[in-house]
Amino acid sequence: MSEATIRDILDVARWSPSGGNMQPWKVIAVAGAAQQAVRGLAVNYPGMLPAEDGDRPMYPANLWDPYRSRRYKIGEDMYALLGIGRDNKPARLRQLARNFEFFDAPAALFFVIDERMGHGQWAHLGMFMQSVALAATERGVASCFQEIWGTMRMTLKQHFRIADQDMVYCGMALGYADPEAPVNKLRSDRASVDEFARFHFD
């Protein structure tokens, strides 16, 4: 994937809305040897070293329902599609480790935010990330959000030499999806509108 393609995607996504036009996002794009170097950082992951997500973990501790059940089910559905049984922990860890290989995608992005930013700016970063994914889709490029890179925040901070006050939130693999791959046939369940919305129209 060319630098020009990624620049084009980011040029569209930069118009994503943000409160006060703060635009609290930064992006690090990697491909080729630079991407391989990042992959090399994760040689001992997953589960071999302590997580480096600090006070911004991927999920809250002691996750409660319905969120716990949703997270559990999507994992089980994915492993079922891949033919990996619940008792096959080595195979599950190998699949998890594929995240750190960017699932063989030719390029990846890392999203960075100033640690001093508030919840609002994190929401704006999320809107920007979705804009990146949508702009990529328009150009025939598939994306995969990878929060798991947040477990390597300190390692990535040192590797990319980012400012002391900045942190890597997550990564995103960019490539061209194989429609025949079993994992790409996964469709997550979604709550109905009536489960999450209330309407006050009187």
Side-chain angles (χ1 to χ4, degrees):
M1 182 175 301
S2 69
E3 180 179 329
T5 297
I6 296 176
R7 281 184 174 275
D8 184 39
I9 291 168
L10 295 177
D11 191 47
V12 172
R14 70 192 176 97
W15 296 99
S16 183
S18 66
N21 196 32
M22 289 175 60
Q23 305 169 63
W25 48 75
K26 298 174 186 174
V27 177
I28 298 170
V30 295
Q35 187 191 42
Q36 286 299 119
V38 176
R39 288 176 60 163
L41 298 174
V43 67
N44 291 318
Y45 281 82
M48 302 301 170
L49 296 173
E52 302 170 353
D53 46 10
D55 63 349
R56 313 288 174 93
M58 284 191 290
Y59 304 104
N62 303 314
L63 197 59
W64 55 95
D65 276 328
Y67 313 108
R68 180 183 180 279
S69 295
R70 291 172 183 170
R71 183 184 175 211
Y72 178 82
K73 186 175 188 305
I74 191 66
E76 290 303 308
D77 289 349
M78 181 190 72
Y79 288 124
L81 271 175
L82 296 173
I84 300 174
R86 187 182 302 179
D87 58 343
N88 193 345
K89 188 173 181 180
R92 289 189 171 212
L93 284 175
R94 283 194 298 273
Q95 178 61 30
L96 183 63
R98 295 279 291 136
N99 276 278
F100 296 110
E101 299 167 353
F102 302 103
F103 301 106
D104 296 326
L109 305 178
F110 288 93
F111 297 92
V112 176
I113 189 168
D114 190 310
E115 293 178 347
R116 298 169 294 184
M117 291 294 180
H119 298 314
Q121 289 73 55
W122 278 77
H124 307 153
L125 172 61
M127 290 189 284
F128 170 74
M129 290 169 55
Q130 180 159 331
S131 296
V132 170
L134 292 173
T137 298
E138 267 193 329
R139 287 149 182 79
V141 176
S143 61
C144 177
F145 292 86
Q146 296 186 287
E147 288 181 313
I148 198 167
W149 284 103
T151 65
M152 292 184 60
R153 286 197 179 118
M154 293 308 299
T155 298
L156 292 170
K157 180 191 281 281
Q158 294 165 5
H159 178 76
F160 289 127
R161 298 190 177 107
I162 62 177
D164 287 344
Q165 71 273 12
D166 286 344
M167 63 178 287
V168 172
Y169 165 49
C170 74
M172 176 188 282
L174 289 174
Y176 303 96
D178 175 5
E180 300 306 314
V183 73
N184 288 331
K185 300 182 186 304
L186 178 64
R187 293 296 177 265
S188 57
D189 292 338
R190 294 293 166 142
S192 69
V193 171
D194 287 335
E195 287 183 72
F196 65 81
R198 294 171 61 183
F199 295 88
H200 299 267
F201 276 52
D202 293 337

